[in-house]
Amino acid sequence: MSWGTELWDQFDNLEKHTQWGIDILEKYIKFVKERTEIELSYAKQLRNLAKKYQPKKNSKEEEEYRYTACKAFLSTLNEMNDYAGQHEVISENMTSNITVELARYVQELKQERKSYFHDGRKAQQHIEICWKQLESSKRRFERDCKEADRAQQYFEKMDADINVTKADVEKARQQAQVRHQMAEDSKADYSSILQKFNHEQHEYYHTHIPNIFQKIQEMEERRIVRIGESMKTYAEVDRQVIPIIGKCLDEIVKAAESIDQKNDSQLVIEAYKSGFEPPGDIEFEDYTQPMKRTVSDNSLSNSREGKSELKFGGKSKGKLWPFIKKNKLMSLLTSPHQPPPPPPASASPSAVPNGPQSPKQQKEPLSHRFNEFMTSKPKMHCFRSLKRGLSLKLGATPEDFSNLPPEQRRKKLQQKVDELNKEIQKEMDQRDAITKMKDVYLKNPQMGDPASLDHKLAEVSQNIEKLRLEAQKFEAWLAEVEGRLPARSEQGRRQSGMFDAQNPATVNSCAQDRESSPDGSYTEEQSQEGEVKVLATDFDDEFDEEEPLPAIGTCKALYTFEGQNEGTVSVVEGETLYVIEEDKGDGWTRIRRNEDEEGYVPTSYVEVYLDKNAKDS
């Protein structure tokens, strides 16, 4: 069906309809444009999300990505970046293939529609002019006929009247003939214009308007086809990225399947293994035998067997170093040697990590230690070791990482050796490059002075020598640690040196002192430091059996603190305790709950009320 034949009289309605079609097209363009903006915004949000959870360089998070689960999560973040990129592709393709193309087409469509309706209005105006001409000739013909009829009647009237002269009659006759001729001319003109109008009207309704309306119809149908094609393109743009999005999702699944729980468990072992062996059995302490406490009861002439008996029966033998009682002489050394944890931001600080592990001391029978002290030559470097141990407790990190457990120390030393070897290789590469450049200068003096490179070459050689000496130092420490660490197959059979009570010579050996040192130091100097500390502690415990320190005030716990490390005490928010030693500047306050329970808590976790009289005394 054609609009030209069926809608020949609906020019205005067709004009409204075609304008509505253009409005629909522009609405669809706006819809696609908003969709592209959503895709861009979504892609940006996905990228920001992936960036937010990326591990920060040179941070602790970067170390966590050794684990397969963290690696899988990192792969997921990378795939989300690619996923976001596909949404950007959707936006770009929709913009170029739909929005831009349709906007251009709308402009062309508007011009075409304007041209067709301009032709239609021109045809309407032409037929209206022809109609007006027809109406004008028709009215003129009608008027001339009436005037001719009146002139004829007047002539007949004059001709019948005998009183009228012949000249008047002749004049009336001539007037009637003129009017009659004018009527005939108007008739002929009217007939001609009528035929012309009928022809124009036929052309208008059967040729011009149908052709114009046919073109408008074709234009409208092309618009409908174009919007349908745009909708297909809209779907195809999405469909084109589906395989790539599917690959991204497949990679995420593949990353998830690559998680190896056994490997992660092994990494945890490597990260936290201390190198210590489990403690041996605790020996039975027979309190029915007499206790030999004084020097007079165990003189210098006592045999080694006597010492062995004291080790079995002595009071102090049963004490293990995790449960040592602190004394006034060593209070600074045994207080937590790293800064206390900061006070929590909220009232529930359970999530805040506790302070570092406080040092512990090993005790031996006083008589045994006193005999050793009297029969052996004092070593002056013990006091240097004591000073070094104090610096360790105050937070300084030794160069040989002796503050770490054996396995962790081995890993740190190995890492340091690897870093130094890389630096050496880099310096050697630089030396080779300078040497080659010098050779080039020697062969081609116009390119440069070879002597100008001697200073740089000497400096690089110096650096290499320094780095090699440094590497040898760390390799020696590494060899010492690796030689001291037990083989894995022997770990089940050997007992830890810190709990070995059968061999007195083993207690005195440097190696056992290094492994059993409770403050975490494992060098030979630190083992000697351990001898001095144990000696001082045994003297205090055996001769002084010190009375509890007097309270110098009270304190109220502001937050809950879980004292899981040695030397610390757990407190509950709002709890009131006794203060027996003020903060010495290391951030810890010594408190007592009852006669059997005392230790350190972070100063920032309590509010202290000192008793002025007690403090002055």
Side-chain angles (χ1 to χ4, degrees):
M1 302 296 288
S2 174
W3 287 8
T5 57
E6 302 296 330
L7 303 175
W8 58 270
D9 58 345
Q10 299 298 320
F11 186 91
D12 292 338
N13 287 332
L14 285 181
E15 188 175 19
K16 292 177 181 177
H17 178 76
T18 51
Q19 181 59 47
W20 171 83
I22 291 176
D23 293 341
I24 287 294
L25 198 55
E26 289 179 334
K27 183 185 290 186
Y28 182 72
I29 293 172
K30 186 178 180 183
F31 159 75
V32 176
K33 187 176 180 181
E34 290 186 7
R35 163 73 190 275
T36 58
E37 291 172 355
I38 290 173
E39 292 292 342
L40 280 178
S41 176
Y42 181 50
K44 183 179 180 181
Q45 290 178 9
L46 286 179
R47 287 192 185 280
N48 289 340
L49 179 66
K51 183 179 179 182
K52 177 181 177 182
Y53 286 93
Q54 285 281 355
K56 296 178 178 62
K57 291 184 179 180
N58 302 324
S59 67
K60 185 179 179 182
E61 289 182 9
E62 202 170 25
E63 297 179 3
E64 295 173 356
Y65 282 83
R66 297 175 300 163
Y67 300 100
T68 57
C70 294
K71 288 180 180 177
F73 179 49
L74 186 59
S75 298
T76 301
L77 295 179
N78 294 332
E79 293 302 327
M80 288 308 297
N81 261 327
D82 296 340
Y83 188 94
Q86 296 312 306
H87 285 279
E88 290 172 348
V89 170
I90 290 175
S91 175
E92 292 171 3
N93 290 343
M94 284 188 175
T95 300
S96 59
N97 298 341
I98 299 178
T99 307
V100 175
E101 292 295 327
L102 280 186
R104 186 184 302 115
Y105 176 70
V106 164
Q107 295 301 320
E108 296 173 358
L109 190 65
K110 287 181 177 179
Q111 291 296 328
E112 186 179 3
R113 174 180 173 276
K114 182 179 179 181
S115 174
Y116 292 150
F117 281 99
H118 175 72
D119 293 343
R121 288 193 180 87
K122 191 175 180 180
Q124 279 184 337
Q125 290 173 0
H126 179 69
I127 198 66
E128 287 174 0
I129 290 172
C130 291
W131 171 257
K132 288 178 181 178
Q133 289 177 351
L134 177 63
E135 285 293 319
S136 176
S137 64
K138 180 181 177 181
R139 286 194 299 269
R140 186 169 59 250
F141 172 57
E142 182 182 7
R143 184 177 66 251
D144 290 345
C145 286
K146 288 181 180 179
E147 289 180 356
D149 188 50
R150 284 197 301 270
Q152 184 64 31
Q153 289 177 2
Y154 179 73
F155 166 69
E156 289 177 357
K157 181 180 177 183
M158 294 291 290
D159 188 43
D161 189 359
I162 59 175
N163 296 323
V164 176
T165 64
K166 188 176 180 180
D168 291 336
V169 173
E170 185 63 26
K171 185 179 180 181
R173 185 181 64 80
Q174 289 178 358
Q175 186 69 26
Q177 287 178 351
V178 170
R179 293 295 179 184
H180 183 70
Q181 187 61 40
M182 289 176 63
E184 288 296 330
D185 292 341
S186 296
K187 179 180 179 181
D189 188 43
Y190 170 66
S191 176
S192 174
I193 291 175
L194 179 60
Q195 288 178 0
K196 183 182 178 182
F197 175 78
N198 287 334
H199 175 73
E200 293 291 340
Q201 182 174 256
H202 185 274
E203 288 292 322
Y204 176 79
Y205 286 113
H206 293 86
T207 303
H208 297 314
I209 289 297
N211 288 341
I212 292 172
F213 281 13
Q214 184 66 28
K215 291 177 181 178
I216 293 174
Q217 181 180 355
E218 290 172 359
M219 177 194 72
E220 186 68 9
E221 289 174 354
R222 285 198 307 272
R223 178 192 66 79
I224 295 170
V225 170
R226 190 61 178 267
I227 197 171
E229 291 174 350
S230 299
M231 289 179 180
K232 285 183 181 179
T233 305
Y234 179 87
E236 286 300 322
V237 167
D238 259 343
R239 185 175 282 115
Q240 287 172 2
V241 302
I242 286 177
I244 304 176
I245 290 178
K247 288 182 181 178
C248 293
L249 299 178
D250 291 341
E251 289 298 323
I252 292 175
V253 173
K254 185 177 178 182
E257 291 173 350
S258 69
I259 294 176
D260 185 356
Q261 66 276 14
K262 298 295 183 183
N263 181 70
D264 286 4
S265 299
Q266 185 62 33
L267 288 176
V268 173
I269 293 174
E270 294 175 2
Y272 299 110
K273 180 181 177 183
S274 67
F276 290 125
E277 295 186 13
D281 295 338
I282 298 176
E283 298 173 1
F284 176 75
E285 299 183 16
D286 191 356
Y287 290 98
T288 59
Q289 297 182 7
M291 309 298 285
K292 299 180 180 181
R293 296 179 178 277
T294 62
V295 177
S296 59
D297 292 333
N298 187 16
S299 64
L300 297 178
S301 62
N302 284 350
S303 66
R304 302 297 279 179
E305 288 79 7
K307 292 180 185 179
S308 181
E309 287 179 3
L310 286 175
K311 288 180 70 64
F312 280 106
K315 171 190 172 189
S316 299
K317 176 62 199 78
K319 294 182 181 180
L320 299 178
W321 60 266
F323 310 105
I324 185 171
K325 184 177 180 182
K326 295 178 176 58
N327 54 66
K328 289 178 285 185
L329 176 64
M330 304 298 289
S331 62
L332 179 59
L333 297 182
T334 57
S335 64
H337 61 277
Q338 294 187 9
S346 62
S348 58
S350 59
V352 178
N354 291 338
Q357 183 177 357
S358 51
K360 316 170 190 70
Q361 302 289 340
Q362 182 176 1
K363 293 186 177 180
E364 295 182 12
L366 176 64
S367 56
H368 176 211
R369 179 58 68 187
F370 186 76
N371 287 341
E372 287 182 357
F373 181 76
M374 296 297 293
T375 56
S376 63
K377 294 176 68 177
K379 298 180 180 180
M380 294 305 296
H381 68 274
C382 290
F383 296 99
R384 291 196 299 271
S385 301
L386 184 61
K387 181 179 179 181
R388 183 180 175 206
L390 178 59
S391 68
L392 288 179
K393 296 183 185 304
L394 294 178
T397 302
E399 188 181 13
D400 61 353
F401 303 107
S402 57
N403 60 320
L404 298 175
E407 181 65 22
Q408 301 303 318
R409 183 187 179 200
R410 183 190 66 77
K411 290 174 67 177
K412 285 288 186 182
L413 289 172
Q414 184 65 56
Q415 182 181 352
K416 189 69 177 178
V417 168
D418 294 341
E419 290 175 0
L420 289 171
N421 288 334
K422 287 181 182 178
E423 290 294 327
I424 292 171
Q425 186 60 43
K426 189 186 297 184
E427 293 290 337
M428 290 176 68
D429 293 342
Q430 187 177 357
R431 183 184 64 183
D432 294 342
I434 296 174
T435 304
K436 289 180 181 178
M437 188 179 296
K438 185 176 181 181
D439 293 340
V440 172
Y441 287 176
L442 289 172
K443 294 177 181 177
N444 302 288
Q446 68 275 11
M447 297 183 67
D449 181 14
S452 63
L453 299 176
D454 291 341
H455 175 70
K456 183 66 177 176
L457 196 59
E459 183 181 346
V460 172
S461 300
Q462 254 184 357
N463 292 341
I464 292 174
E465 189 61 31
K466 287 179 182 178
L467 289 171
R468 279 178 176 166
L469 291 175
E470 191 78 7
Q472 288 174 3
K473 180 173 63 175
F474 280 94
E475 284 171 356
W477 285 331
L478 180 61
E480 178 189 357
V481 173
E482 289 178 342
R484 191 167 64 246
L485 284 174
R488 293 183 183 275
S489 59
E490 299 176 359
Q491 287 184 0
R493 299 194 302 269
R494 294 178 58 189
Q495 288 187 344
S496 172
M498 72 180 82
F499 296 102
D500 189 357
Q502 303 298 330
N503 190 358
T506 305
V507 177
N508 294 330
S509 68
C510 292
Q512 281 296 342
D513 275 352
R514 282 195 296 270
E515 291 195 15
S516 62
S517 176
D519 63 357
S521 301
Y522 303 98
T523 63
E524 183 177 351
E525 291 183 354
Q526 288 299 97
S527 69
Q528 302 300 327
E529 172 193 354
E531 290 183 15
V532 177
K533 291 177 186 174
V534 172
L535 177 62
T537 305
D538 286 342
F539 268 107
D540 254 7
D541 282 349
E542 298 298 330
F543 287 144
D544 197 32
E545 202 65 31
E546 66 174 358
E547 297 179 359
L549 292 173
I552 61 173
T554 59
C555 67
K556 180 180 179 182
L558 301 176
Y559 314 104
T560 299
F561 173 76
E562 296 180 4
Q564 297 176 352
N565 297 324
E566 173 62 24
T568 60
V569 177
S570 299
V571 296
V572 181
E573 180 181 354
E575 185 178 4
T576 301
L577 308 108
Y578 294 100
V579 178
I580 58 176
E581 189 175 335
E582 285 187 83
D583 185 351
K584 301 297 184 182
D586 57 356
W588 297 89
T589 298
R590 191 172 179 183
I591 58 95
R592 178 191 296 131
R593 180 177 282 109
N594 49 51
E595 291 183 0
D596 299 324
E597 188 174 6
E598 65 179 46
Y600 290 87
V601 294
T603 305
S604 58
Y605 275 61
V606 294
E607 185 175 2
V608 179
Y609 309 96
L610 295 178
D611 186 347
K612 185 176 180 182
N613 296 331
K615 186 175 180 181
D616 293 340
S617 62

